[in-house]
Amino acid sequence: MNLLVPLKMVPDLVEELTLNEAGTGLDRDALTYKLNEFDDQALEEALELKALHGGTVIVAGLDTPDIDQVFYTAIAKGADRAVKITGQFDPLVDSWTAAAAMAPVVASLEVDLVLAGVQAPDDLYGQLPVLLAGRLGWPHVSVVSGIELDPQARIARCHQEYSGGVMAAMETALPAVLGVQAARKTPRYAPISRIRQVMKEAKLEEVAAAPAADGGRPKVRRLFKPESQGHARMLEGDVTSQIEQLVGLLAERGLLKVRV
């Protein structure tokens, strides 16, 4: 079984985010990047499936800032190959561009299953697995966990989460693309010493991205920071006093229905 995991660098939301002068995006010079946490979950699940069924784990990503470090870390964790897709990519690359660049590479690698992070915090689209599957012509299931493979029957079984905590059991033929929400285990840690060793020994593969037309992605005209419209009122006193204050506030705003 050949498993492929797309990896993407995303802005670290711990840092203060500022808009660029045009107001159309984030100020890239003020950003620091880290691996998308859902991609890390997908990588961990791929490594667990490799341990169960054998095969190889390939990580792939677009040539964006610091992606090499992520590749070396993935290999230190247990990935077998790392493929960097070269080209002129925006650090905040959108899912349409990523899928268009990645699909031909995935198709050339004889992959049985793609495990992609279900979404990324820089756009929250959750569309990379969907768009990638569409370009490959493969079946797709997203927001999944609990993945089980039947290599002989070439079937993947997984759980898909719905609102309200409802879980559905899904089954799909391989090859397929799965949007991973959570791995069966917490993503493993790679020691710095192991990463440094990999940096000396491992070789990153490079594949040039094929030219692709605009896939119809949405255009951002303007972004605005949230503006404060009011303030919170803290209820003081004991529980009885707080209840009385709350009931009074609800009544003042016409939000309290009184039954006679």
Side-chain angles (χ1 to χ4, degrees):
M1 297 291 290
N2 290 327
L3 310 175
L4 184 138
V5 182
L7 300 180
K8 177 184 178 181
M9 299 296 286
V10 298
D12 190 344
L13 299 183
V14 174
E15 303 292 334
E16 180 70 22
L17 302 180
T18 58
L19 298 179
N20 58 26
E21 292 184 1
T24 57
L26 296 175
D27 181 0
R28 299 170 194 163
D29 294 335
L31 294 176
T32 57
Y33 294 87
K34 68 174 186 176
L35 176 63
N36 176 28
E37 62 178 314
F38 290 104
D39 293 353
D40 203 14
Q41 295 285 337
L43 174 59
E44 179 61 32
E45 185 65 18
L47 294 173
E48 290 294 329
L49 291 172
K50 171 189 171 182
L52 290 171
H53 303 287
T56 61
V57 172
I58 306 168
V59 292
L62 307 186
D63 188 6
T64 52
D66 299 324
I67 194 66
D68 287 8
Q69 183 67 29
V70 171
F71 284 153
Y72 290 129
T73 301
I75 294 173
K77 289 184 176 185
D80 301 282
R81 298 169 61 187
V83 179
K84 180 165 63 175
I85 303 170
T86 60
Q88 298 298 318
F89 298 111
D90 189 305
L92 299 176
V93 62
D94 60 78
S95 298
W96 286 263
T97 300
M102 196 165 291
V105 177
V106 175
S108 70
L109 293 174
E110 299 182 355
V111 172
D112 298 292
L113 181 64
V114 174
L115 299 180
V118 67
Q119 65 180 11
D122 56 347
D123 55 28
L124 296 178
Y125 284 147
Q127 293 300 298
L128 177 63
V130 182
L131 295 167
L132 184 56
R135 287 183 172 273
L136 292 168
W138 294 359
H140 159 265
V141 185
S142 201
V143 197
V144 304
S145 59
I147 301 169
E148 296 180 2
L149 298 182
D150 186 337
Q152 300 301 320
R154 292 191 59 76
I155 288 174
R157 301 182 180 91
C158 57
H159 294 125
Q160 185 178 56
E161 184 176 351
Y162 292 85
S163 59
V166 177
M167 301 291 288
M170 310 290 286
E171 181 177 290
T172 181
L174 300 178
V177 179
L178 302 182
V180 178
Q181 177 169 264
R184 67 191 67 197
K185 293 183 179 179
T186 302
R188 64 196 66 187
Y189 171 76
I192 298 298
S193 58
R194 173 58 182 155
I195 296 173
R196 288 176 177 171
Q197 180 182 356
V198 167
M199 292 174 68
K200 295 178 181 179
E201 300 175 354
K203 181 179 180 181
L204 304 181
E205 304 172 41
E206 293 189 3
V207 178
D214 192 318
R217 61 185 182 273
K219 305 293 185 182
V220 177
R221 293 195 302 176
R222 189 70 188 273
L223 294 176
F224 298 90
K225 280 192 172 184
E227 295 183 5
S228 176
Q229 297 293 328
H231 62 277
R233 177 173 174 179
M234 306 302 295
L235 303 180
E236 300 179 352
D238 57 23
V239 174
T240 302
S241 175
Q242 292 178 12
I243 292 174
E244 291 175 350
Q245 294 176 64
L246 178 58
V247 171
L249 288 171
L250 294 175
E252 288 175 8
R253 289 163 173 75
L255 300 175
L256 186 64
K257 293 183 178 180
V258 179
R259 293 183 179 180
V260 179

